[in-house]
Amino acid sequence: MLDYDLHCHSTVSDGTLSPADLVAYAASRGVKVLSLTDHDDLDGLPEARAAAQAVGIQFIDGVEISVSWREDVTVHIVGLNINPEFVPLAQGLRDARQGRVARAHRMAESLAAAGIGGAFEGAMRYVGNPEFIGRTHFARFLVEGGHAKDIASVFKRFLVKGKPGYVEHEWITLSEAVGWIFGSGGVAVLAHPGRYTSGRKPLGRQSMHALMQAFADLGGVGIEVVSGSHTPQQCADAARYAQEFGFLASCGSDFHGPGESYRDMGHLPDFPAGCRPVWEAWDAPAAVVNG
Ligand code: AMP
Ligand code: MN
Ligand code: MN
Ligand code: MN
């Protein structure tokens, strides 16, 4: 079992626990090294770092950046061991977040056209940070209204391509995300590679290869092998990609809150044989050859 958890969310993005509560929860789950990786926002890091210090957990500053790649693929890049004071990163994310409120209004219009009114205000009641509204907040509103039984069911019938509540959105480029992370001294990690889609289909093998090659060429050095949202097969595939591209392996629950996550925090399964852990990048930087 791994006592590292390098991917989770607080109320600063779409989690349900405050940064301090999240750290306390991680400690109760036996996590020894934690990274908070809120979507497109660094504001939870000081509170989480202080809470981690108080309970004796090693804390790694993190972020999960939303990226648009090719025509219609949304990709998530996790930055680990970043410097949150690095101006291009902090300012770039601030600019990137701006589009979320307008997007949310368009999502609400799409839901209204499908007969579900009041979605913007309804979703806003779940928002913990006025700068960050996302699909998860709408998902909570839809569950509350009885339109789906849980969050996972929402994402089958709403908020995904071709369904009510989905709108196209242009996120930042792969080059910007990896560049800012790298520039801040951090390690760029391709999040949950098993989850990417084009249209409503999983990304094919060729596109996955092109994505990973582009990511590596830009300075990406890691890939999530163990993810709370991966099946055992997706974990094995990611380990193979890690070997093929020389990526370091990362692990994280992608926890969003008790009762609504893919997986609870901590107690993550070990990496498959042959994986080099991403923490080599900050524990023994000289051992990291590419990037
Ligand atoms: P956004 O960045 O606003 O597009 O929201 C993306 C977030 O929606 C992800 O980070 C997840 O928290 C959530 N999400 C997307 N797909 C699913 C799914 N199938 N099940 C549960 N949550 C999902
Ligand atoms: Mn999320
Ligand atoms: Mn993600
Ligand atoms: Mn995540």
Side-chain angles (χ1 to χ4, degrees):
M1 290 283 176
L2 293 163
D3 51 16
Y4 284 72
D5 195 325
L6 304 176
H7 186 152
C8 62
H9 300 274
S10 77
T11 45
V12 166
S13 62
D14 58 358
T16 61
L17 299 180
S18 70
D21 288 349
L22 185 71
V23 170
Y25 188 70
S28 80
R29 296 282 304 163
V31 174
K32 299 283 189 294
V33 183
L34 177 74
S35 182
L36 171 63
T37 55
D38 272 313
H39 297 285
D40 306 321
D41 203 311
L42 310 172
D43 283 359
L45 298 175
E47 179 183 321
R49 172 169 290 283
Q53 225 150 26
V55 293
I57 285 184
Q58 185 185 347
F59 186 74
I60 306 295
D61 285 312
V63 66
E64 180 177 20
I65 305 182
S66 315
V67 157
S68 292
W69 183 70
R70 289 193 169 167
E71 276 290 282
D72 69 339
V73 185
T74 299
V75 169
H76 286 175
I77 303 297
V78 164
L80 296 175
N81 206 35
I82 51 165
N83 172 10
E85 308 295 330
F86 183 61
V87 173
L89 174 68
Q91 186 61 48
L93 292 178
R94 202 169 298 130
D95 294 344
R97 283 197 298 275
Q98 301 276 308
R100 279 190 174 267
V101 172
R103 170 190 185 234
H105 281 293
R106 291 190 290 127
M107 289 168 67
E109 282 164 23
S110 164
L111 286 168
I116 301 173
F120 182 83
E121 295 72 20
M124 274 305 282
R125 283 194 285 106
Y126 291 96
V127 164
N129 164 6
E131 282 192 27
F132 189 97
I133 179 164
R135 284 187 292 163
T136 310
H137 304 111
F138 282 87
R140 291 182 188 131
F141 161 77
L142 290 167
V143 171
E144 172 197 279
H147 301 286
K149 71 175 194 312
D150 55 24
I151 300 280
S153 315
V154 170
F155 283 96
K156 295 196 176 81
R157 292 177 35 216
F158 302 97
L159 312 180
V160 291
K161 199 167 178 101
K163 306 283 180 179
Y166 180 79
V167 300
E168 298 286 341
H169 189 76
E170 190 74 23
W171 303 105
I172 65 164
T173 65
L174 188 61
S175 160
E176 286 171 309
V178 177
W180 298 339
I181 292 167
F182 187 72
S184 88
V187 181
V189 172
L190 183 67
H192 43 63
R195 278 205 8 232
Y196 297 128
T197 52
S198 171
R200 275 151 73 188
K201 292 209 199 75
L203 216 56
R205 205 182 140 67
Q206 261 191 340
S207 299
M208 281 304 294
H209 270 249
L211 170 62
M212 283 181 282
Q213 192 59 58
F215 175 65
D217 291 345
L218 290 165
V221 297
I223 185 170
E224 273 183 358
V225 170
V226 170
S227 163
S229 64
H230 275 171
T231 63
Q233 184 58 52
Q234 288 168 334
C235 171
D237 291 345
R240 225 187 38 242
Y241 289 138
Q243 302 248 322
E244 204 173 324
F245 286 85
F247 291 142
L248 300 176
S250 191
C251 62
S253 57
D254 207 352
F255 183 76
H256 284 70
E260 66 166 58
S261 277
Y262 304 103
R263 188 187 172 103
D264 207 347
M265 286 196 99
H267 308 291
L268 294 170
D270 283 323
F271 291 127
C275 288
R276 286 169 61 207
V278 69
W279 42 94
E280 281 186 10
W282 55 85
D283 286 346
V288 180
V289 281
N290 67 339

